[in-house]
Amino acid sequence: MAKRGIKDVAERAGVAVGTVSRVLNDHPSVTAEVRARVKAVIHELGYRPDPFARSMRSKVSRLIGIVIPDLTNPFFAELVQCAERAASEHGHNVIFMSSFDDAAKEADRLAQLAGRKVDGIIIVPSNSPHAIKAPKGLPLITVDRLLPDHPGVAADHRAGARVAVEYLAGLGHRRIACIAGPSGSRPAEDRLQGYLDVMRPLRDHRGAKVEPLFVNAAFDYESGRAAGTFLLARPRAERPTAIFASSDQQAIGCLRAANDLGIPLPAGLSIVGFDGIPLSNLITPRLTTIVQPMPEIADAAISSLLGRRKMPPLGKPDLFQCELAVRESSAEPVLEPAAINASR
Amino acid sequence: MAKRGIKDVAERAGVAVGTVSRVLNDHPSVTAEVRARVKAVIHELGYRPDPFARSMRSKVSRLIGIVIPDLTNPFFAELVQCAERAASEHGHNVIFMSSFDDAAKEADRLAQLAGRKVDGIIIVPSNSPHAIKAPKGLPLITVDRLLPDHPGVAADHRAGARVAVEYLAGLGHRRIACIAGPSGSRPAEDRLQGYLDVMRPLRDHRGAKVEPLFVNAAFDYESGRAAGTFLLARPRAERPTAIFASSDQQAIGCLRAANDLGIPLPAGLSIVGFDGIPLSNLITPRLTTIVQPMPEIADAAISSLLGRRKMPPLGKPDLFQCELAVRESSAEPVLEPAAINASR
DNA sequence: TTGTATGCGTTATCAG
DNA sequence: CTGATAACGCATACAA
């Protein structure tokens, strides 16, 4: 079985190479009969067009580059997985790169991808403050961490946070605290705003305003635990009955803090997370959370890059609505008779 | 800034295109002086060789394909990240694909990679029993889940397990249970063997043989919790004082089970995991575990594919030694006065 | 050592 | 609608 080329196919089918090429690219001007015959021969010979020769001429690589700060973050891992699936469905493959949250490495990766002549780039920018330089003429779209001067697609973090806090308020909670993300992070700030959106107009059973209470923390597990410990270290009468965490990892850490303090879940405390990472549905109790529609987000990013969907204009990112997944870490607040309060 | 070609560089440097090509490929027969001049021009013009034209001629793509079952498994995510870094250091890029643990999808991905003409393939085979068909002439290496008829590289799971159990035995533990992995999984069985290797010759303080005790469970969190609950649900006098889990996720689930049962760690129970995933060092208590040398494993896989290291022969996979990371989830067993036992 | 010329496998531009 | 043929950008055998 020697190396098959387009020439062999043409010869075997009794046509010219140009015709075979036209069949390959679904060019309309080919007789159905000829098309069928050529396709038959292609199948028979097991012919596969050489992607390099093809790209050299056509200037398209059917390759998408994706740059992520850190794949050990389960949220990004899911993004990559979804992006690969979406790209695959559009006949494209994915070149994966990690920036390790370093601006210099990120720039290098971008240059490499440009050199590879990928058809488009998906990037979650590194956190270090910087401007990413998109190789001119190369479609690039940011995901999750939006940047002002690049098109982007993300979950509607603010609206998602609102849903979470409204849910808790609807359950009857009033002392609702928030573990905010790190200041400086766009998604973190959006989520905090969503929390405040709901808290501000909220009134307790006596019609008095309720005080928002939040503390900044990194998105990871340990920071969430520390923040939770801080928020829960107060007399029961003042202690939050519910906590909205800005990430599932924070929420899981907070859950641990509650456990260490002997606070039963969800009886003594409700916790709602954000992201919907797989682990959130595996722990005990299973975490109530706001799940980001990652498949849709990834598909929007891919589709936009490939021109099958309009690129979101600068400053007007494509926003996707999140969904509340009610699980086991949340419930109505328990009644707090004055006697119990006094007994502390 | 028009499109730069090798021709432009040659012209600007006053040499022939062939010479430029030779400089590009570090061909020895080029005067240092000429080489320097050409390189200067290349830099000045910002010239980048077209990867397609180059690959078409040279038959190498500088692309490595990697296929894994599921990126939401943090262990595989780390593997991908390490592989990308290693490939990058060798001047290669990585095309990432997910098989979703499905043999059919896996075969499709493999075919795609072959079509892309990658220089080599790294694969963690899907769990469904099957034979993967490596496109002939395309270097392929399996990682972690070894297959009999393909070269492979992995951690020495058996030896690693031995280190874990020896550590526990050295601490004074005798009732050491094991949460084994799913039967049918090669890494799982190796780890179980390592456990048994240490347990069999073990004797208690009266010189009596100690009974191995293990239960099979999937590698995930919830299965680990269930297994832990099962193992710990017995009178204290019979209850294991230490548990060796076959994965960190299992260990973390088991940790949760102990917590739910009110067993303090590490005073009442020592737990050791396996893998060394990032999360293992973030939880409370931080998990004592066997960490796999993922960077080395990934680098060995990449180096072997690129011919910079000898391909491990069939049936003789490259094995890497794991390292014990002693953290907070393990300690010497507490004394068990008869009085305490009787009080139950 | 360096220049020249051919070919790699496709696509695209022309005629026919 | 189809065939012939010229690029595409680079590597390499061969000539100088």
Side-chain angles (χ1 to χ4, degrees):
Chain A
M1 161 158 159
K3 221 178 311 180
R4 305 303 180 187
I6 198 175
K7 203 166 259 180
D8 303 286
V9 176
E11 197 171 330
R12 195 91 151 70
V15 297
V17 293
T19 302
V20 177
S21 175
R22 280 183 282 259
V23 170
L24 252 32
N25 298 289
D26 288 312
H27 195 292
S29 64
V30 179
T31 306
E33 186 207 358
V34 175
R35 178 184 304 275
R37 190 169 72 231
V38 171
K39 280 193 172 176
V41 174
I42 288 177
H43 190 76
E44 174 187 350
L45 260 42
Y47 162 77
R48 294 292 166 200
D50 181 316
F52 303 125
R54 171 173 269 197
S55 293
M56 180 161 89
R57 284 293 300 175
S58 66
K59 299 303 175 193
V60 308
S61 59
R62 293 182 166 280
L63 245 27
I64 296 288
I66 184 166
V67 183
I68 296 296
D70 175 15
L71 203 59
T72 68
N73 179 326
F75 176 75
F76 295 146
E78 191 184 357
L79 169 60
V80 169
Q81 178 134 303
C82 288
E84 193 269 328
R85 193 187 48 67
S88 174
E89 285 169 359
H90 291 258
H92 287 244
N93 291 132
V94 167
I95 294 186
F96 164 78
M97 293 181 171
S98 186
S99 70
F100 299 95
D101 235 317
D102 176 270
K105 284 201 184 62
E106 181 178 88
D108 171 70
R109 304 312 198 218
L110 251 21
Q112 280 192 51
L113 288 175
R116 280 286 184 192
K117 307 213 166 165
V118 296
D119 292 343
I121 295 178
I122 291 181
I123 182 173
V124 177
S126 72
N127 256 334
S128 39
H130 67 305
I132 69 178
K133 67 165 196 332
K136 266 196 72 74
L138 210 175
L140 179 150
I141 193 167
T142 60
V143 176
D144 192 52
R145 299 181 186 171
L146 274 19
L147 252 30
D149 45 351
H150 293 282
V153 45
D156 191 334
H157 301 125
R158 185 164 180 170
R162 275 198 293 259
V163 170
V165 184
E166 273 163 5
Y167 160 72
L168 288 170
L171 243 32
H173 291 279
R174 286 300 177 272
R175 291 202 304 277
I176 307 171
C178 171
I179 301 179
S183 59
S185 156
R186 172 72 183 280
E189 283 167 7
D190 288 348
R191 291 171 194 177
L192 176 57
Q193 283 310 314
Y195 164 75
L196 294 176
D197 288 344
V198 178
M199 290 303 282
R200 271 195 280 257
L202 211 56
R203 296 293 178 273
D204 67 17
H205 65 284
R206 293 179 314 200
K209 296 180 65 168
V210 301
E211 284 304 311
L213 171 62
F214 66 89
V215 46
N216 288 96
F219 277 130
D220 63 80
Y221 178 97
E222 183 53 31
S223 301
R225 198 178 69 86
T229 302
F230 171 79
L231 290 173
L232 297 172
R234 49 187 71 204
R236 174 161 181 177
E238 299 170 22
R239 186 206 290 162
T241 62
I243 292 181
F244 165 60
S246 294
S247 81
D248 284 345
Q249 310 217 49
Q250 286 176 339
I252 294 171
C254 181
L255 204 138
R256 179 58 192 232
N259 202 289
D260 288 346
L261 291 171
I263 302 174
L265 260 72
L269 176 70
S270 287
I271 298 181
V272 177
F274 203 114
D275 281 345
I277 64 174
L279 182 60
S280 70
N281 202 20
L282 290 176
I283 60 170
T284 305
R286 301 194 305 150
L287 184 67
T288 293
T289 191
I290 298 295
V291 0
Q292 296 196 39
M294 196 57 91
E296 286 76 12
I297 291 175
D299 190 69
I302 295 284
S303 298
S304 297
L305 286 180
L306 301 182
R308 307 217 200 211
R309 175 194 177 103
K310 91 176 189 329
M311 256 302 185
L314 299 187
K316 272 282 184 192
D318 262 357
L319 258 30
F320 284 76
Q321 292 313 311
C322 301
E323 201 167 295
L324 173 68
V326 175
R327 302 207 273 243
E328 304 163 357
S329 68
S330 58
E332 298 180 358
V334 298
L335 295 177
E336 296 171 25
I340 294 182
N341 285 338
S343 74
R344 271 203 64 95
Chain B
M1 161 158 158
K3 220 180 310 180
R4 306 300 180 191
I6 197 176
K7 199 166 266 179
D8 302 288
V9 176
E11 196 172 330
R12 194 91 152 70
V15 296
V17 294
T19 302
V20 177
S21 175
R22 280 182 281 260
V23 171
L24 252 33
N25 298 290
D26 288 313
H27 194 294
S29 64
V30 179
T31 306
E33 185 208 359
V34 174
R35 179 185 303 276
R37 190 169 70 230
V38 172
K39 281 193 170 177
V41 175
I42 287 178
H43 190 75
E44 174 188 351
L45 259 42
Y47 163 77
R48 294 291 166 202
D50 181 317
F52 303 123
R54 168 174 273 201
S55 292
M56 184 163 78
R57 285 289 301 171
S58 66
K59 300 303 175 193
V60 308
S61 59
R62 294 180 167 279
L63 246 27
I64 296 287
I66 183 166
V67 183
I68 66 165
D70 175 15
L71 202 60
T72 67
N73 180 326
F75 177 73
F76 295 146
E78 191 183 357
L79 168 60
V80 170
Q81 178 136 302
C82 288
E84 193 269 329
R85 193 186 47 66
S88 173
E89 285 169 359
H90 292 252
H92 282 64
N93 291 131
V94 166
I95 293 186
F96 164 77
M97 292 181 172
S98 185
S99 70
F100 299 95
D101 234 318
D102 176 89
K105 283 200 185 62
E106 181 178 270
D108 170 70
R109 304 311 198 219
L110 251 21
Q112 280 192 50
L113 288 176
R116 279 288 183 190
K117 307 212 164 164
V118 296
D119 292 342
I121 295 179
I122 290 181
I123 182 171
V124 177
S126 72
N127 256 336
S128 38
H130 67 303
I132 69 178
K133 67 164 199 332
K136 268 196 67 76
L138 210 174
L140 179 150
I141 193 166
T142 60
V143 176
D144 191 52
R145 299 181 186 171
L146 273 19
L147 252 30
D149 46 350
H150 294 281
V153 46
D156 191 334
H157 300 126
R158 186 164 180 168
R162 274 198 295 258
V163 170
V165 184
E166 272 163 5
Y167 160 71
L168 289 170
L171 242 31
H173 292 279
R174 283 303 176 269
R175 293 203 302 279
I176 306 173
C178 171
I179 301 179
S183 59
S185 156
R186 171 75 183 278
E189 283 166 7
D190 287 348
R191 291 171 195 177
L192 175 57
Q193 284 310 315
Y195 163 76
L196 295 174
D197 287 345
V198 179
M199 290 301 283
R200 271 194 281 257
L202 212 55
R203 296 293 178 272
D204 68 17
H205 64 284
R206 293 178 316 199
K209 296 181 63 167
V210 302
E211 284 303 311
L213 170 63
F214 66 89
V215 47
N216 287 97
F219 277 130
D220 62 80
Y221 178 97
E222 182 53 30
S223 302
R225 198 177 69 85
T229 302
F230 171 79
L231 290 173
L232 297 173
R234 49 187 71 204
R236 175 161 180 176
E238 299 171 22
R239 185 206 290 161
T241 63
I243 293 182
F244 164 59
S246 293
S247 80
D248 284 344
Q249 312 218 45
Q250 286 177 338
I252 294 172
C254 182
L255 204 136
R256 179 59 191 230
N259 202 288
D260 289 346
L261 292 170
I263 302 174
L265 258 71
L269 176 70
S270 287
I271 297 181
V272 177
F274 203 114
D275 280 347
I277 63 175
L279 182 61
S280 71
N281 201 19
L282 290 176
I283 59 171
T284 306
R286 301 195 305 151
L287 185 68
T288 293
T289 191
I290 300 295
V291 0
Q292 295 196 38
M294 196 57 92
E296 286 76 12
I297 291 176
D299 191 69
I302 295 284
S303 298
S304 297
L305 287 180
L306 300 183
R308 308 215 199 210
R309 175 193 178 103
K310 92 177 185 333
M311 256 302 185
L314 299 187
K316 274 279 183 193
D318 262 358
L319 259 29
F320 284 76
Q321 293 313 311
C322 302
E323 201 166 296
L324 173 69
V326 175
R327 302 208 272 241
E328 304 164 355
S329 68
S330 58
E332 297 179 359
V334 297
L335 297 176
E336 298 172 24
I340 293 183
N341 287 337
S343 75
R344 270 203 64 94

